[in-house]
Amino acid sequence: MSCTVSEMPSGCRLRGMNASSQSAAAAAAAAAANNGNGNGSKESVGVGAGSTAAGGNGGTTGTSTTQQGSVSATSNVLQESNAPLQRPQTQKPCCFCWCCCCSCSWAKCLAIKNADENAPTKRDLVSAEFLDGDQPTLEEIRSWGKSFDKLMTNSNGRKVFRDFLRSEFSEENILFWLACEDLKKENSPEVVEEKARLIYEDYISILSPREVSLDSRVREIVNRNMIEPTTRTFDEAQIQIYTLMHRDSYPRFLNSQKYKTLAQLQDNSNAGSKADSPT
């Protein structure tokens, strides 16, 4: 008697198949029958019936056909069960490669690349400090680190130093000094008196938010001079503030990153030698 997979009784095995392979083949055949794809089984039954009438060879042929179909179905089931799981590919970080493997768009990569190329250079940073078009030379900038007088007598040097004092919240010192220098240029007594009164209210009065630091001796001299203001009313105060900037603010200015960038000095080097620096 020949057995098909779907009609195989329990305990009946096809030749050359173990128990696990037999169970997998039976499951595959049952699934095919439920889906309406049972033509191969009917054909196997017909072949088996015909072979029974003809002789024993027909039964062998039907069994061989059924066995090949079962082995093929078993192989497909095993291949599907042993197939590796497909994991979704993770997105790679943006890179500057000009291909389509990046997760970012071409527009984003181009924007980042253009931003890096258009970043301001050291020369641009130096030019931005001088808006009047009178850009000093490198030798002139480095001379500011050798002499405080050269720094204060140069318009660009005063501008850079004033910006530094503003960052230290002591801009009133250089503003007072500049106001005294402007007062010395006046010839009209009326203008001198008016400017002297404004300087006193802005930088000498204890009620002013921009009061400069003066000792009692110099302050007393200024108060006496204000009775009859002249172009020399604030000379003592101007000298004291100039000395304060020279000894206190100027050394920090030379060691600031701003001046080192302008003078193109290394970070680990001192702007000017200790002998040239004020003590």
Side-chain angles (χ1 to χ4, degrees), residues 33-263:
N34 292 333
N35 293 329
N37 297 325
N39 295 331
S41 299
K42 294 180 181 180
E43 183 180 355
S44 299
V45 173
V47 174
S51 60
T52 302
N57 293 333
T60 303
T61 304
T63 302
S64 176
T65 304
T66 304
Q67 182 176 358
Q68 292 178 358
S70 301
V71 171
S72 177
T74 303
S75 177
N76 294 333
V77 171
L78 293 178
Q79 289 178 1
E80 293 179 358
S81 61
N82 295 331
L85 296 176
Q86 298 293 333
R87 296 182 178 180
Q89 295 182 354
T90 58
Q91 294 183 351
K92 297 181 179 180
C94 178
C95 57
F96 287 105
C97 57
W98 300 104
C99 61
C100 298
C101 62
C102 292
S103 61
C104 60
S105 62
W106 278 60
K108 184 177 180 180
C109 284
L110 286 174
I112 297 175
K113 184 174 183 294
N114 291 334
D116 292 339
E117 292 179 352
N118 296 329
T121 61
K122 182 182 294 185
R123 188 178 186 88
D124 295 334
L125 293 176
V126 173
S127 300
E129 293 291 337
F130 314 106
L131 303 179
D132 55 359
D134 184 18
Q135 182 174 342
T137 62
L138 180 59
E139 291 75 12
E140 187 176 359
I141 295 175
R142 290 182 176 180
S143 69
W144 302 342
K146 299 178 181 179
S147 172
F148 184 65
D149 292 336
K150 291 183 178 180
L151 173 68
M152 294 296 290
T153 54
N154 184 276
S155 59
N156 284 316
R158 288 195 302 268
K159 179 183 182 302
V160 175
F161 187 57
R162 176 179 174 179
D163 293 340
F164 171 77
L165 293 179
R166 184 185 300 117
S167 66
E168 288 198 336
F169 305 99
S170 59
E171 185 184 9
E172 67 275 1
N173 291 330
I174 193 171
L175 291 178
F176 170 71
W177 185 86
L178 291 173
C180 293
E181 289 293 305
D182 182 67
L183 179 63
K184 294 177 182 178
K185 300 176 183 178
E186 297 296 338
N187 296 320
S188 174
E190 293 78 8
V191 176
V192 169
E193 183 177 357
E194 179 65 18
K195 286 191 175 182
R197 184 182 59 82
L198 292 176
I199 293 174
Y200 186 90
E201 292 177 355
D202 289 342
Y203 304 106
I204 307 299
S205 174
I206 59 176
L207 300 178
S208 174
R210 297 191 293 180
E211 179 191 5
V212 294
S213 179
L214 298 174
D215 58 34
S216 58
R217 182 188 66 85
V218 174
R219 187 176 294 273
E220 181 63 26
I221 295 174
V222 172
N223 290 334
R224 289 199 305 265
N225 292 339
M226 284 299 296
I227 298 175
E228 294 182 3
T230 64
T231 56
R232 298 292 178 177
T233 297
F234 304 101
D235 282 359
E236 293 291 333
Q238 186 182 16
I239 292 174
Q240 189 171 33
I241 295 303
Y242 188 88
T243 304
L244 177 65
M245 291 189 293
H246 186 191
R247 294 182 176 179
D248 184 59
S249 302
Y250 180 59
R252 291 195 301 271
F253 168 72
L254 298 182
N255 290 322
S256 66
Q257 184 60 44
K258 184 172 186 177
Y259 175 72
K260 290 181 179 180
T261 302
L262 293 175

